């Protein structure tokens, strides 16, 4: 029997009330924004922000945004910045930790209304969340992808990059990577090298830190990736065996820094991560050295400051480590992930699963002899640009200002076209 209008209205009200209860008490699937926005208060208003950072994710992905806080604060000092979220829990964390203005907008119509009344000129994005298209629709702003690290992963040349007007990249290596492996994309015109502003604070901390007499090996693997073609992680294939070998040698302190998303897609990664943590908790410290440890600090800076050598996967951690000038070993994944040739991967010693039996000898040699040091230091500028203190932050702010000038010119041009 057809539903009566009154019955249909009742069911809509029930669904709406149920949705409010689910959002209110956080009973949502992982990764789903709670949609508890400030829309009612924002409608009919304008805001003074020149720069909008759009972040549609839930709190577990905040590591992508957190690394940009210091650079965004520097930008905010000259050009007011607002972080726009779609999740009230995310907004609370950003408001607490960033020192930036934050607004939670659940509905596209609210963003349309506010931006129509405001003079926001630049939108920035730290990931490729499909929800970014909610904000990318606005032609009144220039849109730039920041991402949350530079690496030789195939995902760094994702076709999604084409959605943005420009992409901020770390250095010339990223431009060349995009030019080589992207189709129908003018990397030299649309990629803007700005360095890695995050390294300014990390290098300061490393310069101030005294490392002990027992060398520290930092093992910082990535997660399993969102799909098998991006499975660069080695926690399950290498992790425990590698860590056990280094610890039982008695020659090194091991610092393990897992990726925050380890195990979210593949339970084997979560199990391996738990096994490594448990082993390190019970391991005896090397004679004269600090205890072995698992580092889950939000900022990678303290781990970088403490380490003498890095073992990592094909990931953004490898690029950032270049700034330290210290030795690096890069694992090779056991799965089907695509690994393209690159200057760093050609230079850095590789550690495949089949090479784990020789891992200790490899670490010994790299710390004792460091045969790739001179070439690695030359690569530092190629990948990261100028790593002098503060240089990358200045380049970032200047690049944002340049894009706002581009926006003003384009908006004026379109205005002239419309007035014809």
């Amino acid at each position: 029997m057809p539903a009566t209008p009154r019955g249909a209205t009742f069911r809509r009200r029930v669904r709406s009330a149920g949705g409010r209860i689910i959002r209110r008490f956080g009973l949502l699937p992982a990764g789903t924004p709670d949609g508890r926005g400030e829309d009612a208060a924002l409608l009919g208003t304008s805001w003074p922000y020149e720069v909008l950072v759009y972040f549609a994710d839930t709190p577990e992905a905040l590591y992508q945004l957190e690394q940009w806080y210091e650079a965004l604060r520097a930008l905010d000092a000259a050009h007011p910045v607002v972080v726009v979220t779609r999740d009230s829990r995310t907004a609370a964390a950003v408001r607490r930790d960033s020192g930036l203005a934050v607004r939670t907008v659940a509905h596209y119509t609210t963003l349309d209304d506010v931006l129509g009344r405001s003079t926001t000129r630049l939108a920035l994005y730290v990931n490729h969340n499909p929800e970014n298209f909610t904000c990318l629709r606005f032609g009144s702003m220039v849109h730039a992808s920041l991402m949350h690290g530079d690496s030789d992963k195939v995902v760094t040349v994702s076709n999604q990059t084409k959605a943005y007007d420009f992409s901020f990249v770390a250095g010339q290596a990223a431009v060349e990577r995009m030019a080589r492996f992207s189709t129908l994309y003018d990397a030299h015109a649309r990629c803007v090298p700005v360095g890695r502003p995050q390294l300014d604070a990390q290098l300061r901390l490393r310069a101030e830190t005294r490392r002990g007499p027992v060398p520290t090996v930092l093992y910082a693997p990535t997660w399993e990736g969102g799909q098998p073609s991006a499975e660069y992680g080695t926690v399950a294939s290498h992790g425990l065996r590698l860590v056990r070998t280094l610890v039982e040698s008695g020659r090194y302190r091991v610092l393990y820094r897992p990726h925050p998303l380890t195990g979210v897609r593949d339970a084997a990664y979560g199990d391996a991560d738990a096994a490594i943590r448990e082993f390190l908790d019970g391991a005896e410290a090397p004679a004269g050295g600090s205890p072995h440890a698992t580092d889950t600090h939000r900022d990678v800076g303290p781990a970088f400051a403490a380490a003498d050598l890095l073992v990592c996967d094909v990931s953004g951690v490898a690029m950032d480590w270049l700034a330290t000038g210290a030795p690096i070993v890069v694992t090779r994944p056991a799965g089907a992930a695509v690994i393209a040739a690159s200057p760093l991967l050609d230079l850095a010693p590789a550690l495949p699963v089949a090479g784990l039996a020789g891992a200790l000898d490899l670490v010994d040699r790299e710390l004792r002899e460091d045969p790739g040091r001179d070439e690695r230091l030359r690569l530092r500028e190629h990948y990261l640009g100028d790593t002098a203190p503060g240089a990358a932050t200045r380049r970032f702010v200047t690049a944002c200002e340049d894009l706002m000038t581009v926006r003003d010119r384009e908006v004026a041009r379109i205005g002239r076209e419309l007035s014809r």
Side-chain angles (χ1 to χ4, degrees), residues 328-343:
I328 181 173
V329 172
V330 182
T331 65
R332 294 296 186 270
V338 177
I339 302 177
S342 74

Side-chain angles (χ1 to χ4, degrees), residues 97-181:
D97 298 330
S98 72
L100 300 167
V102 184
R103 299 290 183 271
T104 307
V105 180
H107 303 294
Y108 167 81
T109 51
T110 305
L111 199 57
D112 181 52
D113 181 74
V114 174
L115 289 176
R117 302 168 186 274
S118 306
T119 56
T120 307
R121 304 158 71 194
L122 174 64
L124 303 173
Y125 307 82
V126 300
N127 59 27
H128 288 322
N129 189 314
E131 287 294 335
N132 289 355
F133 277 89
T134 299
C135 192
L136 278 162
R137 293 174 65 179
F138 296 103
S140 60
M141 300 180 291
V142 166
H143 302 264
S145 168
L146 304 183
M147 294 305 288
H148 48 277
D150 179 43
S151 77
D152 286 318
K153 289 182 179 181
V154 71
V155 292
T156 61
V157 292
S158 167
N159 219 38
Q160 293 163 293
T161 303
K162 299 175 185 176
Y164 309 92
D165 299 312
F166 296 93
S167 291
F168 284 7
V169 297
Q172 188 60 30
V175 179
E176 293 174 2
R177 187 189 309 119
M178 289 296 297
R180 289 175 64 196
F181 300 114

